[in-house]
Amino acid sequence: MYVIGTAGHVDHGKSTLLRALTGMEPDRLPEEKKRGMTIDLNFVWFAGSQGKIGIVDVPGHQRFVKNMITGAVAFDAFLLVVAADDGWMPQTEEHAQVLYGLGVEQGLVVITKTDLVEQTRISEVKGSVGERLAQLFGRSYEMLQFSPAELNGAAVIRAKLIELLGRGPRPRNVGKPALWIDRVFLPRGAGVVVTGTLRDGQLNVGQQVTIAPQSVQATIRSLQAYHENVNTAEPTSRVAVGLTRLQGTEVQRGDVLLSHPIAATQMLVSWVHLFADNRDMRCFLGNKQFSFYVGTARQSARVTFWKEAEGGCFAGIKLAQPLGIRSGEHFLLRLFGEEQTVGFGLVIEPVATPKRVAIKGLEGGKPTLDSIVRYCLTREGFLDVDEMAARSIYSREEIEKVLRLVEAVRFSSAKFADKTVFEKNKNTLCELLRSIHGAGKPHVGENSLAKAVSKATGLKEGWVQEVISHLVGMKILCRSDSGLSLFGAQAEDPTEVQAMEEIGSRLATLGVIALKDFGTGEISVLKNRMHKLVKKNRVVALGEDHFIAASTFEMFKQKVLRYLQEKGQSTTSELRTVLNVSRKHVIYLLEKMDEQRLTYLKDGVRRLLR
């Protein structure tokens, strides 16, 4: 099934065209019939090869653009109507901008009232309409003609619509039904009935649903699509949903019916595009109040410019009241109190996020599923797919597909980590464990380690626990009843640790020392302890049996480097004088610097290795 919508200036013949296409009367309100002008949304349909094709008839008058926006929320395609006598008019422009802003780019153009003008005028209007649409949408559109006098005109348009929908993508069905409510009825004895355009998934009689932003729970009592009772409603279609366990005062136009609860929000991370005539407004966005349209909802909002972006800017939006809005939703901006659409945008994250945090990872132009997933992963370093799916229009499968492309580290069926962030936290965790083992403790409590890593990295303890579990699975960590340890690690004996501390402290007061001159005890035991201190970067080995404290070696090294930078080259004797050590020890020190590729010896002089 599909839902398409009309668009165009007032009195250009939208309702007349729909009567011819469907044989149904679109105008339902007495005021509409009296004035001969559409005021609110009306709905008709006809049968096509793909099933019923619903049509939303929208008002064309400037005063009712807000109703037109409400109707355009889930169009699969548009039917842009332009009268041949008037041509492109102000509301033709604004309706086209609304369609473009909401991402509705598939459609047909119908030139009406062709019986009132000459063919040259028709050609002229087609040319101007085609030029403006190419500027806005960046593509061309097929143009048809219609007047009530043309007997087969409606049949041709109907066939072209069916062909257009057949060529385009199938209605999206990812198991996440969403219905923005545009009308509410209170039939006696039947609970509450809400209507809207169903998208992204099926609804079934007996299903539990949520009305947002109130988070009110309800059960579907009945479903009706195009005046027929059904047990299952398919996207995209016009649906009337009978709900039980719900009071009429709890639901209104602008609420959204979903298959799962979501948190209402007033703060949005967004991408915003301002139409060409309003781009100079960006510098004082924060001082302007806007009417914010999303789905069938309308709110006043403040928009704060954050950062330049391709085709627009990244911005923070604060709504006057909470809305049930999700990542990936399109929205429109109109100047508050004025009849002017100034821009549109797309919600990146429907959460309250400080600017300094939010702008991290905001790159590129108009957001896509790929860029939104990458942004959420980059900003936090970790991503819970189930949580993101719940607060977005995207399915878990769609999100996971992107995460596979970016080579994210998968912790569990739903949790992923940015590869760089994971490596950083893995290294921090392993370093902490090594120091704990080095202090003679063979194990550490998992909660204690998680708290320590969280404090060191700023990562939430829950995510640290995920890192720990993943490292256990990788056999980097070992989990036992006694606690955690590095896989294969053995804690050192406390007596051994104390002995090495004494060696390190004593060595720090000496220069280069030979093992045999260090003191009493077995040489083999002393040598083993020295090499353990080398691994801990506290001692530097000079040859087989000579050692120096790392801090002392660093001091000597800097003296040599400064001297060579100043003189260009030096003999061993000169450097011996600089360091004030024996010839034997200066040779050990200089050979170590050669080994570290800091210096080299040639023709009896030593130079810096550049």
Side-chain angles (χ1 to χ4, degrees):
M1 293 185 174
Y2 296 87
V3 171
I4 63 175
T6 61
H9 197 75
V10 63
D11 199 32
H12 275 204
K14 296 184 292 296
S15 299
T16 300
L17 173 61
L18 295 192
R19 291 186 192 99
L21 283 176
T22 66
M24 302 174 70
E25 173 55 55
D27 291 336
R28 58 185 172 84
L29 300 176
E31 182 72 9
E32 291 177 322
K33 294 175 181 179
K34 178 181 177 181
R35 297 171 63 179
M37 181 177 72
T38 302
I39 297 172
D40 203 355
L41 303 176
N42 293 309
F43 312 98
V44 292
W45 66 89
F46 66 88
S49 56
Q50 304 94 339
K52 292 237 175 41
I53 298 173
I55 307 178
V56 180
D57 189 25
V58 304
H61 195 282
Q62 182 184 27
R63 282 168 29 213
F64 306 118
V65 170
K66 59 182 182 294
N67 292 338
M68 180 271 172
I69 295 172
T70 297
V73 59
F75 288 174
D76 292 307
F78 63 78
L79 202 56
L80 180 63
V81 177
V82 182
D85 52 350
D86 282 345
W88 190 272
M89 295 290 284
Q91 293 328 113
T92 316
E93 174 70 24
E94 188 162 18
H95 282 205
Q97 289 179 341
V98 167
L99 294 170
Y100 180 65
L102 294 177
V104 186
E105 299 190 15
Q106 185 177 224
L108 290 175
V109 178
V110 178
I111 308 299
T112 58
K113 302 187 179 183
T114 53
D115 54 329
L116 303 181
V117 298
E118 300 294 329
Q119 184 59 45
T120 53
R121 173 59 181 168
I122 296 173
S123 299
E124 180 184 308
V125 169
K126 283 184 177 181
S128 62
V129 170
E131 181 179 350
R132 179 61 189 126
L133 290 177
Q135 291 171 350
L136 186 59
F137 289 90
R139 53 169 290 188
S140 61
Y141 288 89
E142 184 171 5
M143 297 193 191
L144 306 172
Q145 297 180 198
F146 173 78
S147 74
E150 297 174 3
L151 297 179
N152 67 337
V156 171
I157 295 169
R158 193 162 47 241
K160 288 290 185 180
L161 276 172
I162 293 171
E163 179 186 335
L164 174 71
L165 295 172
R167 289 198 311 266
R170 296 286 300 166
R172 189 168 178 266
N173 185 349
V174 293
K176 298 186 65 179
L179 183 142
W180 282 95
I181 296 168
D182 52 39
R183 287 194 280 178
V184 180
F185 301 95
L186 302 173
R188 182 173 297 178
V192 177
V193 176
V194 299
T195 69
T197 301
L198 174 64
R199 66 186 194 191
D200 296 345
Q202 299 174 333
L203 289 177
N204 299 288
V205 172
Q207 182 176 348
Q208 301 294 309
V209 293
T210 297
I211 306 295
Q214 306 93 317
S215 292
V216 176
Q217 307 296 308
T219 303
I220 296 180
R221 168 179 186 166
S222 63
L223 289 168
Q224 193 175 89
Y226 305 113
H227 291 184
E228 292 183 4
N229 292 324
V230 295
N231 290 318
T232 299
E234 302 282 349
T236 306
S237 59
R238 289 292 308 171
V239 180
V241 185
L243 299 168
T244 61
R245 297 171 51 202
L246 191 67
Q247 301 298 316
T249 55
E250 294 178 308
V251 61
Q252 60 186 339
R253 175 182 279 190
D255 296 340
V256 60
L257 183 151
L258 301 166
S259 58
H260 60 280
I262 62 169
T265 183
Q266 286 180 259
M267 302 295 293
L268 309 172
V269 179
S270 305
W271 173 86
V272 174
H273 171 91
L274 297 175
F275 290 117
D277 294 344
N278 305 291
R279 284 180 189 155
D280 59 346
M281 187 184 300
R282 184 166 49 195
C283 60
F284 54 90
L285 275 177
N287 299 322
K288 284 282 185 181
Q289 190 172 6
F290 293 88
S291 290
F292 176 92
Y293 292 81
V294 62
T296 57
R298 178 191 178 200
Q299 280 273 356
S300 62
R302 295 284 182 182
V303 182
T304 304
F305 170 80
W306 280 352
K307 182 179 179 181
E308 291 281 356
E310 294 175 21
C313 65
F314 294 114
I317 295 179
K318 183 176 182 180
L319 304 173
Q321 299 292 330
L323 277 179
I325 190 168
R326 300 172 297 161
S327 172
E329 298 266 22
H330 289 82
F331 61 82
L332 291 164
L333 294 174
R334 305 187 86 212
L335 283 179
F336 191 78
E338 300 180 35
E339 304 298 334
Q340 181 186 1
T341 300
V342 296
F344 63 91
L346 193 136
V347 177
I348 299 173
E349 271 279 75
V351 292
T353 309
K355 176 184 174 181
R356 60 180 174 77
V357 176
I359 61 175
K360 179 184 176 183
L362 286 175
E363 301 293 344
K366 184 176 181 180
T368 61
L369 166 61
D370 182 270
S371 65
I372 291 175
V373 172
R374 289 172 187 265
Y375 165 72
C376 293
L377 183 64
T378 300
R379 192 192 67 194
E380 297 291 340
F382 296 84
L383 184 64
D384 187 315
V385 174
D386 288 337
E387 286 184 3
M388 182 175 180
R391 66 175 187 265
S392 74
I393 67 171
Y394 308 113
S395 69
R396 177 174 174 169
E397 291 72 22
E398 289 173 317
I399 297 167
E400 285 188 1
K401 184 177 179 181
V402 175
L403 289 169
R404 286 194 294 270
L405 292 174
V406 301
E407 297 182 345
V409 178
R410 186 169 198 154
F411 288 156
S412 63
S413 61
K415 296 181 178 179
F416 291 77
D418 176 82
K419 196 171 182 179
T420 302
V421 173
F422 170 73
E423 288 295 330
K424 177 183 175 183
N425 283 276
K426 180 190 78 171
N427 293 338
T428 300
L429 192 150
C430 290
E431 279 298 319
L432 278 171
L433 269 177
R434 273 192 284 271
S435 66
I436 290 168
H437 293 334
K441 295 180 181 179
H443 299 92
V444 63
E446 191 163 328
N447 289 337
S448 298
L449 183 62
K451 287 181 187 300
V453 175
S454 177
K455 185 177 181 180
T457 64
L459 186 64
K460 294 177 182 176
E461 285 184 37
W463 281 113
V464 176
Q465 295 282 4
E466 292 290 339
V467 173
I468 289 171
S469 294
H470 193 68
L471 293 178
V472 170
M474 294 173 68
K475 296 192 181 302
I476 292 174
L477 300 185
C478 181
R479 181 186 276 143
S480 67
D481 293 340
S482 302
L484 289 170
S485 62
L486 285 170
F487 198 83
Q490 292 184 341
E492 294 178 283
D493 182 85
T495 304
E496 182 72 8
V497 172
Q498 184 178 355
M500 287 194 296
E501 282 296 318
E502 292 174 357
I503 292 171
S505 298
R506 185 180 170 203
L507 199 58
T509 65
L510 304 172
V512 179
I513 190 77
L515 283 179
K516 64 182 179 63
D517 299 327
F518 194 77
T520 58
E522 291 186 28
I523 292 294
S524 61
V525 173
L526 183 58
K527 189 172 184 178
N528 182 53
R529 288 171 177 168
M530 284 290 192
H531 282 293
K532 285 183 179 180
L533 289 168
V534 169
K535 289 182 178 179
K536 293 175 181 290
N537 296 318
R538 294 186 61 185
V539 172
V540 175
L542 304 175
E544 287 293 321
D545 299 310
H546 286 72
F547 297 87
I548 186 172
S551 57
T552 307
F553 175 74
E554 182 66 24
M555 179 186 67
F556 285 157
K557 183 177 73 175
Q558 293 302 324
K559 284 185 177 181
V560 172
L561 292 176
R562 283 196 295 271
Y563 188 82
L564 290 178
Q565 285 171 351
E566 181 182 342
K567 302 295 184 180
Q569 63 182 36
S570 178
T571 64
T572 302
S573 296
E574 290 171 338
L575 290 172
R576 176 191 168 193
T577 304
V578 171
L579 298 180
N580 193 27
V581 295
S582 70
R583 180 176 178 81
K584 179 180 178 181
H585 288 173
V586 80
I587 290 172
Y588 279 132
L589 290 167
L590 295 175
E591 286 179 346
K592 190 65 178 180
M593 292 183 67
D594 292 346
E595 181 185 321
Q596 293 180 343
R597 299 186 62 79
L598 297 170
T599 57
Y600 71 99
L601 181 66
K602 184 178 181 182
D603 299 330
V605 294
R606 195 164 254 101
R607 297 179 177 86
L608 290 175
L609 184 65
R610 301 185 186 280

